[in-house]
Amino acid sequence: MSRMILDGIHVIGGIGKGFAHFHQSPHYVQSHVALQPNSDASINITVERNRLQEALLKLRYESDCLVETADPISTSYEILNTYRSLAYDRGWERHLIHEINQGADVISALENVLSAMRQRFSKEAFWQSRLHEFDDLTNRLARYLVHSIPKKDIDLERPLVVIAPFLSPADLIDYHHHNLVALILSDNSYTSHVAIIAKSLQVPVIAGVDSMIHLIKENDFLIVDGNEGRIHIRPTPEDMTITVSSRKNKEIVRPSGSGGNDTKKPATTLDGHLIRLSINANLPEDLTDVHNDFIDGVGLFRTEVPFMMTNELPSVEGQVAFYKRILAQSGEKPLCFRTLDIGGDKVLSLHNGVQHIIDKRGKHAIHQASVNGWRAVRLSLDRPMLLRQQIRAFLRAKVQSEHPEVPLSIMIPMVAEITEFLAIRKIIQLEVNREKMLHHGIAPRIHFGAMIEIPSIVYQLEQLLPLVDFLSIGTNDLQQFFFAFDRDAPEMSNRFDFLAPSFLMFIKQIVQTVGQRVPLSLCGEVASQPLCALALLGIGIRHFSIAPSHIEGVYAMIKRVNLESLKTYMDAACQHLLSPAMFMHNGPITLRHRLMNFAVDHGIITS
Ligand code: PEP
Ligand code: MG
């Protein structure tokens, strides 16, 4: 078969070269029940019980190996440990044996036990999380039983490009342990939770090639170019030379460029302006580089990601231990915990009802959940216990940390109304009072901040500013609500340019209103693209929080900028592009084109 190229949607950048592997659908059991021989007359209880024992043995061995190869201080270790204990669950085994004793073959027994669990426990939040895990385990066990285990068919030493309509975080971590080099997904945008975790694991991701996926065969060699959103199937030797730096629009600035030995110093522009660079973190693994001198600290820790990965509600003690670990990693550097931002595609077991809807109806329900707006602070106010426990854990972790003198920063996501922020502050105060009453001690400095990611709050900044210690602009959400699109819809991912003058002027309005009154940062994913970060510098942003994989590229860009001339250029360009005369123009002159030319002409981004 000859070489082919598929163009899809870029989700997470980077290049992965490896062999195609189609991940088995999560509904593996159902689809394989049909393949089983008709059971009625031929069931031999002893044979079926032996098949079950043999498969369980393999499953347990597999989970032992996964745990043994995981780093004991990683989040993946905790998840895999949970899987291992479920694999050894005696109650589950007893139910399966009971079904076989009643005359079911082993695959039907698996399906029957799972459906019985679904019926009994679907309304209990705690058990829903267990169900999700048992679903996964059941499918793994079924793979052993039908003798077509994907992991058995593939060479685990080879680099793998996994193709899947949907991947659970646990599957992602599992593949990550087995030389995963890239992912091709159906319905994930770069802000979905699998994509966010993939970014933390530095795995390139592409979506939007569903209709042509049949052109790829299992074991085909692929180059997944996450920067271009392109898949090279059965590449030529010439294709094999593709590297990250070949990106068409040259947005990736190689850290080895002007960075070099210089990367130890804080980021200053050519004309001496200091720009703060912090890390966006989702997992402990993201904090590896936090002690580099040019990194200010952690501007955003998305606390929902570790919650999502375990698929269960961690206890207060569990959360304290986890946050202490994160604080220990950041040491004396500032770290900002964002309260749970769940809802939309960020689904937790405790997010009552929605998990169930998604299981039953797939991606449409995910999209529905993401547009109905029941997320983040709204959910926290409707389920205050969840927030109270999290705040309690933050407070305790800080007091018990090695640097209680470093302020505890807590940031509230998706604030649309001042009243929401006030309500959350009240809840936080309740927890502070409670800790005092219990003589647990309180961190001397607690900073409260809000994210600006809903346009309505921009028009209440005057009222909000006296209430906050800091603000952070979340452009991932702000852009979707500004232009009215769903950030999780791959069809919309290239529709509205972030560099639209209307949107940049909106951000500039925020920057000007906030002024020097409180520290302001920007933590949307877009700032990891040097050209977009350049535009943001030009309209006044001085503190970025960026995924660690992209921070050096932005650093290198900053070192080449003369801020004063950039500001002058941006002002003029935006005004010009917004002038009525421009709307009569038919040509594709966009700010992106112009700014790229400016950046190349001034040696900021190399062509
Ligand atoms: C944002 O919306 O820009 C943001 C940083 O938050 P999240 O991507 O987690 O919604
Ligand atoms: Mg957001």
Side-chain angles (χ1 to χ4, degrees):
M1 290 262 263
S2 60
R3 159 192 194 254
M4 257 179 226
I5 291 180
L6 298 186
D7 278 321
I9 296 169
H10 145 95
V11 181
I12 303 291
I15 308 277
K17 299 174 184 177
F19 295 89
H21 169 60
F22 285 83
H23 175 69
Q24 297 289 355
S25 138
H27 300 295
Y28 200 81
V29 173
Q30 288 90 325
S31 56
H32 281 78
V33 169
L35 301 178
Q36 293 298 298
N38 189 332
S39 48
D40 290 351
S42 53
I43 283 296
N44 178 325
I45 290 177
T46 315
V47 169
E48 293 303 305
R49 283 178 63 152
N50 287 344
R51 283 181 71 201
L52 173 68
Q53 292 307 339
E54 203 181 308
L56 274 174
L57 211 68
K58 288 177 186 164
L59 180 77
R60 288 167 180 169
Y61 176 70
E62 180 198 57
S63 63
D64 287 344
C65 293
L66 285 173
V67 172
E68 273 156 31
T69 52
D71 177 353
I73 59 155
S74 68
T75 315
S76 19
Y77 181 81
E78 289 160 25
I79 296 168
L80 296 171
N81 232 343
T82 310
Y83 269 89
R84 176 161 68 176
S85 24
L86 292 177
Y88 279 91
D89 190 282
R90 292 290 166 204
W92 183 45
E93 185 179 341
R94 261 199 317 276
H95 286 300
L96 291 171
I97 292 171
H98 175 76
E99 283 296 319
I100 294 172
N101 290 345
Q102 297 299 307
D105 64 70
V106 61
I107 288 279
S108 307
L110 275 181
E111 175 65 359
N112 294 348
V113 169
L114 196 60
S115 338
M117 279 181 174
R118 282 202 185 109
Q119 271 178 16
R120 282 204 341 253
F121 302 131
S122 62
K123 293 203 172 50
E124 306 269 340
F126 173 78
W127 284 106
Q128 274 181 34
S129 75
R130 287 278 93 92
L131 270 182
H132 192 70
E133 282 151 358
F134 274 113
D135 236 350
D136 205 27
L137 271 184
T138 302
N139 286 314
R140 281 162 192 259
L141 194 60
R143 287 176 198 157
Y144 284 118
L145 287 161
V146 295
H147 303 297
S148 60
I149 312 147
K151 298 272 161 58
K152 213 161 124 184
D153 297 341
I154 53 176
D155 179 352
L156 296 177
E157 296 305 311
R158 297 199 304 178
L160 284 184
V161 175
V162 171
I163 303 160
F166 172 80
L167 210 60
S168 71
D171 276 329
L172 170 60
I173 290 166
D174 188 356
Y175 280 116
H176 178 63
H177 284 132
H178 288 129
N179 215 356
L180 173 70
V181 294
L183 280 179
I184 301 172
L185 303 175
S186 277
D187 60 359
N188 280 282
S189 74
Y190 76 116
T191 48
S192 70
H193 68 262
V194 167
I196 285 171
I197 297 162
K199 193 169 193 173
S200 292
L201 301 173
Q202 298 184 23
V203 175
V205 181
I206 284 183
V209 289
D210 283 8
S211 59
M212 289 172 301
I213 208 77
H214 61 277
L215 298 172
I216 303 177
K217 306 279 172 264
E218 179 86 15
N219 287 324
D220 270 348
F221 192 80
L222 307 176
I223 300 177
V224 176
D225 185 340
N227 303 316
E228 300 281 1
R230 180 166 286 178
I231 303 165
H232 299 253
I233 312 172
R234 299 173 289 274
T236 60
E238 198 179 290
D239 294 333
M240 290 299 288
T241 59
I242 290 171
T243 62
V244 176
S245 59
S246 72
R247 192 175 181 192
K248 256 197 310 227
N249 63 12
K250 303 292 184 291
E251 278 198 22
I252 299 290
V253 180
R254 307 287 294 166
S256 55
S258 78
N261 299 329
D262 232 7
T263 55
K264 286 280 176 267
K265 296 182 196 143
T268 41
T269 61
L270 285 178
D271 46 347
H273 294 273
L274 175 70
I275 309 300
R276 291 173 66 192
L277 291 178
S278 301
I279 284 176
N280 279 353
N282 308 313
L283 298 171
E285 291 81 343
D286 291 326
L287 272 77
T288 316
D289 295 330
V290 74
H291 292 293
N292 283 350
D293 283 351
F294 73 102
I295 295 177
D296 210 71
V298 178
L300 163 68
F301 192 96
R302 291 183 169 96
T303 57
E304 66 277 7
V305 177
F307 271 62
M308 287 183 322
M309 290 183 77
T310 56
N311 261 328
E312 65 181 29
L313 176 59
S315 62
V316 174
E317 294 70 33
Q319 289 187 62
V320 173
F322 181 77
Y323 301 141
K324 267 172 74 180
R325 185 167 132 208
I326 299 298
L327 289 169
Q329 277 181 276
S330 61
E332 289 174 90
K333 297 240 177 160
L335 179 138
C336 176
F337 284 121
R338 182 176 72 182
T339 57
L340 285 174
D341 178 2
I342 48 176
D345 77 327
K346 301 177 185 174
V347 180
L348 299 191
S349 54
L350 54 147
H351 186 177
N352 225 343
V354 177
Q355 174 75 57
H356 187 61
I357 295 166
I358 288 173
D359 284 346
K360 286 252 181 290
R361 292 191 284 133
K363 73 175 180 182
H364 297 298
I366 294 178
H367 284 190
Q368 191 177 316
S370 69
V371 293
N372 76 12
W374 194 50
R375 247 185 83 181
V377 67
R378 298 147 190 208
L379 205 140
S380 294
L381 290 171
D382 291 354
R383 300 273 186 281
M385 199 32 101
L386 210 58
L387 179 70
R388 287 192 63 168
Q389 290 186 346
Q390 187 177 41
I391 301 292
R392 201 173 301 164
F394 288 155
L395 295 171
R396 290 184 189 169
K398 187 71 210 180
V399 167
Q400 295 169 27
S401 72
E402 286 161 31
H403 293 284
E405 76 288 355
V406 176
L408 167 64
S409 296
I410 301 177
M411 180 158 71
I412 314 298
M414 296 274 288
V415 177
E417 291 284 319
I418 297 287
T419 47
E420 291 170 330
F421 191 74
L422 288 171
I424 294 283
R425 279 194 68 142
K426 228 181 223 169
I427 291 176
I428 293 176
Q429 196 55 47
L430 280 177
E431 281 305 315
V432 170
N433 295 345
R434 188 176 185 276
E435 290 301 286
K436 282 184 183 158
M437 222 170 63
L438 294 170
H439 305 292
H440 281 163
I442 283 288
R445 291 157 75 199
I446 304 174
H447 291 176
F448 298 119
M451 290 193 69
I452 302 179
E453 46 185 354
I454 300 184
S456 61
I457 203 68
V458 177
Y459 298 96
Q460 302 165 71
L461 280 176
E462 287 300 340
Q463 292 78 22
L464 184 65
L465 277 164
L467 304 173
V468 292
D469 297 306
F470 63 92
L471 289 168
S472 190
I473 305 176
T475 49
N476 302 341
D477 280 311
L478 191 63
Q479 192 192 3
Q480 74 162 343
F481 299 127
F482 183 83
F483 286 118
F485 67 90
D486 177 356
R487 72 189 245 189
D488 297 328
E491 307 87 324
M492 299 303 295
S493 65
N494 292 321
R495 185 125 185 165
F496 292 99
D497 192 354
F498 178 84
L499 296 182
S502 58
F503 188 50
L504 287 176
M505 289 301 97
F506 187 60
I507 298 178
K508 189 170 175 180
Q509 186 184 334
I510 301 169
V511 175
Q512 286 176 339
T513 311
V514 175
Q516 302 299 315
R517 292 198 267 178
V518 298
L520 174 73
S521 63
L522 185 142
C523 60
E525 299 297 316
V526 75
S528 58
Q529 300 170 20
L531 191 67
C532 293
L534 181 69
L536 290 164
L537 273 180
I539 58 164
I541 298 289
R542 297 289 175 267
H543 182 184
F544 295 102
S545 194
I546 300 172
S549 51
H550 287 71
I551 205 158
E552 291 210 16
V554 176
Y555 176 88
M557 179 278 288
I558 290 168
K559 301 287 284 181
R560 295 168 176 164
V561 171
N562 181 307
L563 198 56
E564 294 309 319
S565 44
L566 173 68
K567 262 168 25 190
T568 313
Y569 175 82
M570 277 296 291
D571 280 348
C574 287
Q575 287 315 319
H576 182 61
L577 287 169
L578 283 170
S579 73
M582 276 312 293
F583 293 99
M584 313 300 286
H585 196 289
N586 293 326
I589 301 179
T590 61
L591 182 58
R592 184 173 287 277
H593 284 100
R594 287 174 171 234
L595 191 60
M596 180 53 89
N597 288 340
F598 172 90
V600 171
D601 289 350
H602 289 77
I604 300 167
I605 291 176
T606 48
S607 55

